[in-house]
Amino acid sequence: MKRVFLKGGFFVCLSSTFLQYPTIAFASETSETAAKLALNNNIAENPSNSAGNAGDAIIVTGTRETGKKARESISPIDIISAKQLAQTGMPSLRDALTQLLPSLTVPNGGYDSGALTDSLSLRGLSPNETLVLVDGKRRHTTANIYANPGPQQGSTPVDIDMIPMAAIDHIEVLRDGASAQYGSDAVAGVVNIILKKQDHGFHAQTLTGITAAKDGFQQGVYLDGGTKLGSRGYLHVSGDFLCQNHTYRSAADLRTGTKDNKLLGQPEQTRESFAIKGGYEITDNIEAYGLATYAHRSAGAYQNYRLPSSLTNYPAYAAIYPNGYSPIETINENDWEIMAGLKGKVKGWNWDVSSVYGRDYDNIGLKDSANLQLSRDTGRTPTTFKGVQRFNNQQWSNAIDFSKAFHIDGWPHEINVAGGATHRYESYTIGAGSADSTYGSGSDALPGTAAANAGKFSRNVFGGYFDVATHLVKQLQIDVAGRYEHYSDVGDTKTGKVALRYDPFKWLGFRATLSNAFHAPTLAQEYYSAVTLSPTAAHGIISASSPGALANGAQKLKPERSTNITAGVTFEPIKRLVITADLYQIKLRDQILPGGNVYGNQALTALAMNGFTLPSDASSWATASLSTHWFANVASTRTRGIDITATYPTYLGDIGRIDWSVAANVNRTILTHQSTDAQGNDLLTAQSIAYITTAYPRSKIIWGGQFTSGDKKWIVGLHEIRWGKTTSQLAYYKGVANTSVASAYDFFKFLNQPKFVTNLDITYRVNPKLALTIGANNLFNAHPSRVPVAHRYLGVPQYNMSTSQLGMNGGFYYFKVDVSL
């Protein structure tokens, strides 16, 4: 059991081992103002207005124009307010967004340290293809790479859960390629998180929940408040405090016939995050602004259970673990970012000069583990290993932006011109593992990083952009953007975007964009090396420039490039019924995934060349159970899809109103080309192809309604989410207890069937300052399809974690208290 309490200003976690479900504002009906429109306050005080008035709100994402209204948006944009996030009943930002956006998905689960970072994906592409901004500025990424096989493999995304949810005013999600506007990473889209800047008030919320299986207890506390800085400034302070218990979803271990293997499940974690945002008007035309965020996470994920018999020859460890042991990979993470800038207006020019420095430091360790060779050689028997792997990611961005609206004689329409220049310094540091974790074959489950694979790697990125927007005629808008960037390690790139919108009537609009995008290989993809150990298997990733990879034909990574096309329509066929539909195609070339694949003794040799030593019996393991890979430009893909949304309010007089909504994403990714090695062999297996083409849901549909009583005291939301199918290629296992992979190339096609999830929330507003909510996410406790026993390592992972469909935890039931002063 886990209890959470606040004592002396500290968040303590002890462990043993809205108001409406929102009508989402899409495309032409969204957002909150960059100036003084305050959509979020409007929704907070009057939830019934969430759909009706949002079209007049001002957007700041996807356009360089000032005062652009959401209903005039050229590109599809989703806007989520703070209240809408809270209404989902989810304690973390990523999971809340999953309940709201059909184009967004997250992994079912996660293996090893990859389970300890929260990633998200847009439109069925890797998390690396989505750019995350905070207040319009590029956010630094995590240092913790997702190294295990799956659609997220190789990703080091922005961990948005390190931003306090209490600090968020609203989020603008641009579902369009935007590299020309914002730089690389914006292949699938842009998530712009806008933080609160209110100079008054205090808000507090607590959320307590547990799963249908009576585990995974979660307790969250969310606090924020604002104050004035003299007569010309503001300061807003926010903080989140979260504790989360393990969940246990493993099937019985075939070696023991019991569920003593806890591999499958949600990690345990505690997380504290804070944000301080401020601004001060130095003069009537110059404002200084700043932002600081800090987050700390301590978390742990179970690894496969080790039998007592594995310690027969190690009496010291046998005495400590008479019943065997389950190593726990841990993370001690510190994440912070500081932003400072000046902005103003002079002679009609809007200007903004900013500098942002961010850092994420991860110290990955092990609990309840062993180093058997260390015990045999020295007699020492550590069970906890600190500093097994250490990663540090730094990003320093500097930018100057300017814009001006021109009026030219002879041209009846305003011409908005914008441009700017940027410099970004990125560094990625891999620290050597501690002595105990690297001795011999290293700490069990996760050997320490060998000194040969440690180092600091960096690059500089210089860029400049322009953006011109105007009307060709009254009903026809055009926006043209271009960007040039130079990467010190991968060279130059030029990207562009052209967007058009035609509104023949007030109730009907057509829009389209054509753009190209660019994504440089991350420093982690270029230089990361590590090995993970299971009881009878080992899998490694080595740097493409390392001796072991070069000896097997590895080549230097090239940037990914893409071409994006979107075409959409927004219309209101009858009063208050607003419908949007957007078709899109993304052609992604030179996609980066593990593509060098070597097995058995060849893998042993490659790992040895990189300084890794495997257990002495590794040479006797099945060939397919022993592998190493490196990242390569392996494939080209084509993703086609459609986003559809509709909203409609029903008025019931004094009884109240019902806000109806439906939102859907349907997409399909196919492989159009794959690379080959020097011998002409394909770099991808059928399993790898499935990771990038069918591991994301074929569709995701969210629909339902929310009733608000006439006196605003009662609010009831009922929504259904349909998760489309995913398809995986699963390994065959052999041995009585599925201890060995039978083949590295033959797989079983597994269909994860479509699933339905029902979400229900009921809120009673005691008074204008206090609201109480009870709710259920996944009311009827749905789970993913079960994997056949023959395709589970040791029989344990009954749900496939290498997809991004319905999560494996099942139902989550919660109680929430919301106080505003």
Side-chain angles (χ1 to χ4, degrees):
M1 179 177 180
K2 179 174 285 188
R3 294 185 177 88
V4 182
F5 57 94
L6 293 171
K7 180 179 181 181
F10 292 93
F11 185 65
V12 182
C13 185
L14 302 179
S15 168
S16 65
T17 287
F18 121 85
L19 303 183
Q20 63 173 350
Y21 200 102
T23 297
I24 306 171
F26 288 87
S28 65
E29 65 287 33
T30 63
S31 191
E32 210 258 334
T33 76
K36 300 182 179 180
L37 195 61
L39 170 67
N40 183 58
N41 290 340
N42 180 46
I43 295 178
E45 295 168 6
N46 188 0
S48 65
N49 288 337
S50 61
N53 300 327
D56 291 327
I58 307 300
I59 56 173
V60 296
T61 309
T63 179
R64 297 290 180 181
E65 298 178 79
T66 301
K68 187 81 169 181
K69 292 184 179 180
R71 67 173 73 253
E72 303 166 348
S73 172
I74 291 182
S75 300
I77 297 180
D78 308 331
I79 310 298
I80 306 297
S81 74
K83 283 297 180 183
Q84 290 173 311
L85 293 171
Q87 289 151 15
T88 65
M90 301 305 292
S92 297
L93 175 58
R94 181 189 69 158
D95 294 331
L97 288 175
T98 306
Q99 304 293 315
L100 301 172
L101 299 175
S103 60
L104 184 146
T105 57
V106 301
N108 282 12
Y111 292 98
D112 306 326
S113 58
L116 307 178
T117 292
D118 297 332
S119 63
L120 56 83
S121 303
L122 287 178
R123 289 182 161 179
L125 296 180
S126 164
N128 277 352
E129 317 296 347
T130 297
L131 176 63
V132 176
L133 310 174
V134 174
D135 285 343
K137 312 298 183 185
R138 176 186 288 263
R139 178 79 175 180
H140 68 277
T141 60
T142 182
N144 184 25
I145 188 172
Y146 193 100
N148 290 96
Q152 289 79 31
Q153 190 168 26
S155 63
T156 49
V158 171
D159 190 335
I160 62 173
D161 283 337
M162 304 306 272
I163 302 167
M165 195 152 60
I168 296 172
D169 186 272
H170 68 284
I171 298 175
E172 300 180 359
V173 181
L174 174 65
R175 290 177 281 115
D176 198 7
S179 286
Q181 294 167 298
Y182 298 105
S184 68
D185 305 345
V187 176
V190 178
V191 177
N192 190 6
I193 301 172
I194 312 297
L195 304 187
K196 297 175 182 176
K197 61 177 184 180
Q198 288 88 347
D199 62 4
H200 62 280
F202 173 77
H203 178 246
Q205 184 183 105
T206 66
L207 189 148
T208 305
I210 196 168
T211 70
K214 299 180 181 179
D215 59 8
F217 174 82
Q218 297 192 42
Q219 175 69 62
V221 178
Y222 312 88
L223 309 168
D224 77 274
T227 186
K228 293 182 182 294
L229 288 179
S231 61
R232 302 176 68 96
Y234 70 92
L235 189 70
H236 202 94
V237 181
S238 312
D240 287 4
F241 310 89
L242 174 71
C243 269
Q244 166 185 296
N245 269 3
H246 288 288
T247 59
Y248 307 99
R249 299 294 178 269
S250 295
D253 192 315
L254 295 178
R255 298 169 300 173
T256 64
T258 66
K259 293 185 178 181
D260 45 12
N261 193 326
K262 302 174 182 178
L263 173 75
L264 195 68
Q266 167 184 283
E268 178 183 49
Q269 72 164 305
T270 62
R271 187 178 70 241
E272 307 89 25
S273 55
F274 307 91
I276 302 175
K277 180 177 178 179
Y280 192 84
E281 294 180 354
I282 300 172
T283 70
D284 290 343
N285 294 314
I286 301 177
E287 179 185 352
Y289 61 89
L291 170 67
T293 67
Y294 170 76
H296 174 261
R297 172 192 278 134
S298 178
Y302 276 103
Q303 306 305 293
N304 276 299
Y305 171 66
R306 271 65 173 170
L307 297 173
S309 58
S310 66
L311 300 175
T312 301
N313 297 323
Y314 307 95
Y317 275 118
I320 297 172
Y321 303 125
N323 300 313
Y325 63 104
S326 294
I328 299 175
E329 283 194 21
T330 63
I331 188 170
N332 185 8
E333 182 174 9
N334 288 286
D335 182 287
W336 57 275
E337 185 168 284
I338 297 176
M339 176 198 303
L342 292 170
K343 61 183 178 180
K345 191 169 186 177
V346 58
K347 295 184 178 181
W349 286 95
N350 301 293
W351 58 270
D352 186 337
V353 179
S354 62
S355 184
V356 185
Y357 178 81
R359 177 180 182 267
D360 182 68
Y361 176 73
D362 300 330
N363 188 329
I364 297 174
L366 285 166
K367 293 193 306 183
D368 299 334
S369 185
N371 186 329
L372 303 181
Q373 188 169 338
L374 180 67
S375 174
R376 182 180 61 236
D377 294 348
T378 70
R380 291 195 304 114
T381 55
T383 59
T384 297
F385 298 83
K386 297 181 179 180
V388 176
Q389 294 183 344
R390 293 177 294 124
F391 305 109
N392 183 33
N393 186 69
Q394 298 181 78
Q395 179 179 285
W396 183 25
S397 301
N398 301 284
I400 178 169
D401 304 281
F402 57 86
S403 65
K404 183 178 180 178
F406 288 90
H407 297 272
I408 300 175
D409 292 341
W411 188 258
H413 307 291
E414 186 177 82
I415 302 175
N416 192 85
V417 176
T422 63
H423 166 256
R424 185 168 75 254
Y425 169 79
E426 299 176 348
S427 74
Y428 177 65
T429 303
I430 303 173
S434 62
D436 284 351
S437 70
T438 57
Y439 186 91
S441 58
S443 43
D444 192 27
L446 185 69
T449 301
N453 297 302
K456 182 176 182 179
F457 315 96
S458 64
R459 68 183 173 202
N460 287 279
V461 185
F462 299 89
Y465 74 91
F466 73 89
D467 193 310
V468 180
T470 188
H471 283 70
L472 300 179
V473 296
K474 183 178 180 180
Q475 295 85 8
L476 180 61
Q477 304 175 55
I478 185 170
D479 194 329
V480 179
R483 178 179 291 264
Y484 166 82
E485 287 184 316
H486 170 74
Y487 283 73
S488 60
D489 59 340
V490 294
D492 302 337
T493 178
K494 301 179 184 71
T495 54
K497 182 175 182 177
V498 179
L500 292 168
R501 174 161 177 154
Y502 177 60
D503 294 273
F505 308 102
K506 289 185 177 180
W507 53 270
L508 178 64
F510 301 94
R511 62 192 176 196
T513 65
L514 172 64
S515 65
N516 67 317
F518 169 92
H519 182 264
T522 66
L523 294 174
Q525 287 174 328
E526 291 187 273
Y527 298 108
Y528 174 84
S529 293
V531 172
T532 57
L533 292 175
S534 295
T536 57
H539 303 284
I541 287 184
I542 55 179
S543 166
S545 59
S546 68
L550 292 174
N552 286 281
Q555 298 180 357
K556 183 179 179 180
L557 291 176
K558 299 182 295 184
E560 299 175 336
R561 300 180 185 273
S562 70
T563 304
N564 297 50
I565 301 173
T566 67
V569 60
T570 69
F571 62 108
E572 190 175 353
I574 61 175
K575 188 177 181 180
R576 300 192 305 274
L577 173 60
V578 180
I579 302 173
T580 73
D582 292 278
L583 292 163
Y584 60 89
Q585 174 179 279
I586 305 171
K587 288 187 174 181
L588 183 59
R589 300 178 296 281
D590 295 323
Q591 190 165 355
I592 299 172
L593 283 171
N597 306 294
V598 293
Y599 300 92
N601 289 331
Q602 190 177 0
L604 269 176
T605 301
L607 290 170
M609 293 176 69
N610 281 35
F612 290 105
T613 302
L614 268 59
S616 57
D617 61 344
S619 58
S620 66
W621 295 347
T623 297
S625 295
L626 181 59
S627 65
T628 193
H629 317 274
W630 51 90
F631 290 105
N633 298 99
V634 298
S636 297
T637 60
R638 187 190 69 204
T639 300
R640 287 177 174 171
I642 184 172
D643 295 312
I644 302 174
T645 73
T647 62
Y648 184 74
T650 300
Y651 297 97
L652 305 175
D654 293 339
I655 297 175
R657 65 178 279 171
I658 301 175
D659 289 298
W660 305 99
S661 66
V662 60
N665 172 266
V666 180
N667 79 89
R668 183 187 181 205
T669 297
I670 64 170
L671 183 75
T672 58
H673 171 76
Q674 71 163 302
S675 302
T676 57
D677 61 20
Q679 289 73 43
N681 301 310
D682 291 338
L683 290 184
L684 293 175
T685 65
Q687 186 176 66
S688 300
I689 294 172
Y691 289 154
I692 59 177
T693 58
T694 58
Y696 294 98
R698 185 75 172 83
S699 62
K700 182 182 175 185
I701 306 171
I702 306 172
W703 74 94
Q706 178 209 301
F707 167 76
T708 304
S709 65
D711 59 6
K712 308 294 192 298
K713 284 188 174 294
W714 289 96
I715 300 171
V716 179
L718 181 63
H719 285 76
E720 193 80 6
I721 301 178
R722 182 191 182 273
W723 294 89
K725 69 176 182 180
T726 64
T727 305
S728 304
Q729 297 285 339
L730 303 180
Y732 288 92
Y733 288 96
K734 61 183 180 179
V736 176
N738 287 6
T739 54
S740 298
V741 179
S743 172
Y745 301 101
D746 296 326
F747 301 97
F748 170 76
K749 185 177 180 179
F750 172 69
L751 178 63
N752 195 4
Q753 297 286 352
K755 299 293 180 178
F756 289 84
V757 172
T758 302
N759 296 334
L760 172 67
D761 60 276
I762 303 172
T763 295
Y764 175 66
R765 185 173 286 281
V766 179
N767 56 51
K769 297 181 179 180
L770 175 63
L772 308 177
T773 301
I774 59 171
N777 291 319
N778 195 351
L779 178 64
F780 300 111
N781 196 31
H783 289 83
S785 301
R786 281 187 168 85
V787 173
V789 175
H791 306 284
R792 309 176 193 168
Y793 178 60
L794 306 180
V796 171
Q798 61 178 326
Y799 306 122
N800 183 11
M801 290 192 285
S802 296
T803 62
S804 294
Q805 196 215 38
L806 171 68
M808 60 185 170
N809 279 334
F812 179 75
Y813 311 123
Y814 62 90
F815 174 68
K816 185 175 63 179
V817 179
D818 193 285
V819 178
S820 296
L821 301 176

